[in-house]
């Protein structure tokens, strides 16, 4: 098989045992540095992608993409929903009533966001029906004052389906005994679990029960809308508000997911960018270790270089030998790092679960999900591979030029 002489000689230098073991050690360190740098960068970016995916799927699967509120409660919400549903980028429309309160049970108290929903329509705008651990959303019946709570709340209160909890609303009512908060007893009809902090924050009741609590009669506060493109929701929901205002003699205003969860999403994007930059610098340091190893090799092989020059080898040919050697080191380190990084990225979730189970610790309880997600993206792997190979190539330029410019007479003088 044909192989250029310069490449053949570079392979011989890589494989051969050198007289100076320090050169071999530095070359090995260069390869290991690239392996670790590339692997860690792939794993970290995959984990950041996993956090972004879980935020989009779980958190933004429960909170509204967009909500159109009426300046006054919407009693004609069914007609408004029929106007919005045919829109090309609208996947679903459902009524919503939002209340804030405290849920209590046998001395335990927790602040909650009460969502009044239509159980039959909620599947069009939310992932909630897919994450019901006990019971179904359709178990919520108007007038029965049933409630669906998250798994964290159920565990905190120690309640099961059929148990009663007390909802305390901040609105005060005047009575002969003085000013008292409003209380309403609800019966637990179901428990959901999405594996996020919303399990301990969100509760769901039938919209007609919520309307009675809010004293809206048969009206709702607004219409929740799910869009095909999540990131287009802030713009589109405002366009729909303008359309409804023109077609109906009512005043509306809009809200979207960026107001409630946008800061978290932006924080994850910024962290991914900054971490990628820092790890790329670490990978660059590892790549430029190739410079030191090749410079030492050039000094060690001055005699060989001088002999080759006297035999007719051109400076460019000598430079290619060390250029190829540096690229061999960079390529081996890069692709070993890619292989290791891909394997770890695909198994990091299971490894973290095993670590927590083995040592009885929970490392992610402070985050919005309680496990380590990972999403490997081909584009990240390609960009990291190209960046590592490019850095390796740049690192070989100076040593190869130094080798090419080595004067043969001076090299042989001390040999």
């Amino acid at each position: 098989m044909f192989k250029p002489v310069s490449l053949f000689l570079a392979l011989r230098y890589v494989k051969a045992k050198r007289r100076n073991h320090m050169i071999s050690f530095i070359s090995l360190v260069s390869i290991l540095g690239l392996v670790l740098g590339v692997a860690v960068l792939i794993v970290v970016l995959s984990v950041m992608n996993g956090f972004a995916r879980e935020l989009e799927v779980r958190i933004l699967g429960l909170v509204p993409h967009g909500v159109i509120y009426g300046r006054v409660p919407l009693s004609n919400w069914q007609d408004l929903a029929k106007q919005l549903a045919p829109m090309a980028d609208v996947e679903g429309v459902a009524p919503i009533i939002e209340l804030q309160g405290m849920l209590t049970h046998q001395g335990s108290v927790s602040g909650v966001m009460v969502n009044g929903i239509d159980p039959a329509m909620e599947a069009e705008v939310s992932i909630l029906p897919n994450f019901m651990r006990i019971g179904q959303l359709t178990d919520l019946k108007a007038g029965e004052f049933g409630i669906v709570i998250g798994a964290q709340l159920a565990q905190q209160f120690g309640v099961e389906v059929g148990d009663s909890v007390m909802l305390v609303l901040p609105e005060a009512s005047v009575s002969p005994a003085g000013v008292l908060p409003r209380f309403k007893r609800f019966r637990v009809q179901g428990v959901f679990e999405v594996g996020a902090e919303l399990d301990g924050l969100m509760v769901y009741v039938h919209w007609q029960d919520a309307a009675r609590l809010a004293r809206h009669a048969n009206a709702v506060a607004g219409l929740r809308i799910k869009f095909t493109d999540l990131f287009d929701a802030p713009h589109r929901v405002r366009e729909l508000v303008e359309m409804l205002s023109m077609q109906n003699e009512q005043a509306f205003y809009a809200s979207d997911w960026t107001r409630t969860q946008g800061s978290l999403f932006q924080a994850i994007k910024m962290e991914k960018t900054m971490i990628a930059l820092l790890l790329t610098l670490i990978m660059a340091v590892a790549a430029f270790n190739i410079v030191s190893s090749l410079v030492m090799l050039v000094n060690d092989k001055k005699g060989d270089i001088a002999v080759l020059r006297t035999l007719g080898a051109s400076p460019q040919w000598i430079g290619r030998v060390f250029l190829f050697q540096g690229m061999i080191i960079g390529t081996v380190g890069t692709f070993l790092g890619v292989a290791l990084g891909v394997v770890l990225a695909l198994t990091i979730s299971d490894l973290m679960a095993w670590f927590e189970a083995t040592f009885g610790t929970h490392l992610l309880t402070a985050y919005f999900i309680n496990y380590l997600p990972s999403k490997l993206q081909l584009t990240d792997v390609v960009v990291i591979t190209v960046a590592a190979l490019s850095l390796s190539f740049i690192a070989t330029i100076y040593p190869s030029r130094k080798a090419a410019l080595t004067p043969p007479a001076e090299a042989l003088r001390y040999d």
Side-chain angles (χ1 to χ4, degrees), residues 247-264:
Q247 297 179 359
N248 301 271
E249 297 181 357
Q250 292 176 265
F252 303 93
Y253 66 97
S255 180
D256 60 79
W257 66 271
T258 60
R259 297 192 177 186
T260 57
Q261 305 294 334
S263 59
L264 180 59

Side-chain angles (χ1 to χ4, degrees), residues 234-347:
H235 170 69
R236 286 292 294 135
V237 72
R238 284 158 182 77
E239 290 184 346
L240 295 180
V241 163
E242 295 178 3
M243 183 199 73
L244 290 180
S245 299
M246 294 176 60
Q247 297 179 359
N248 301 271
E249 297 181 357
Q250 292 176 265
F252 303 93
Y253 66 97
S255 180
D256 60 79
W257 66 271
T258 60
R259 297 192 177 186
T260 57
Q261 305 294 334
S263 59
L264 180 59
F265 193 86
Q266 291 299 324
I268 289 178
K269 286 185 65 177
M270 184 181 69
E271 287 178 3
K272 177 182 177 181
T273 302
M274 296 306 298
I275 290 175
L277 177 60
L278 292 175
L279 292 178
T280 300
L281 294 177
I282 295 174
M283 185 173 65
V285 171
F288 278 93
N289 279 338
I290 297 174
V291 176
S292 59
S293 64
L294 289 182
V295 168
M296 294 180 67
L297 179 63
V298 169
N299 291 329
D300 187 56
K301 296 297 182 181
K302 279 185 177 181
D304 295 352
I305 294 172
V307 171
L308 291 172
R309 288 293 306 276
T310 57
L311 291 176
S314 66
Q316 293 77 14
W317 190 91
I318 297 294
R320 283 199 299 271
V321 172
F322 294 93
L323 186 69
F324 284 140
Q325 183 172 2
M327 287 302 298
I328 291 170
I329 294 173
T331 301
V332 171
T334 298
F335 284 99
L336 286 178
V338 168
L340 179 61
V342 168
V343 171
L344 288 177
L346 294 175
T347 59

Side-chain angles (χ1 to χ4, degrees), residues 23-86:
I23 300 174
S24 301
F25 176 75
I26 293 177
S27 298
L28 179 62
V29 169
S30 301
I31 293 176
L32 292 179
L34 273 177
V35 170
L36 293 177
V38 171
V40 170
L41 188 53
I42 290 175
V43 172
V44 170
L45 291 186
S46 298
V47 170
M48 299 305 294
N49 291 334
F51 272 103
R53 177 196 62 193
E54 294 303 315
L55 173 63
E56 182 176 344
V57 173
R58 294 179 180 267
I59 304 296
L60 300 182
L62 283 183
V63 302
H65 288 186
V67 181
I68 296 179
Y69 295 100
R71 297 292 178 181
V72 296
L74 304 176
S75 57
N76 62 334
W77 65 267
Q78 292 93 339
D79 296 332
L80 297 175
K82 291 178 181 179
Q83 292 179 258
L84 296 173

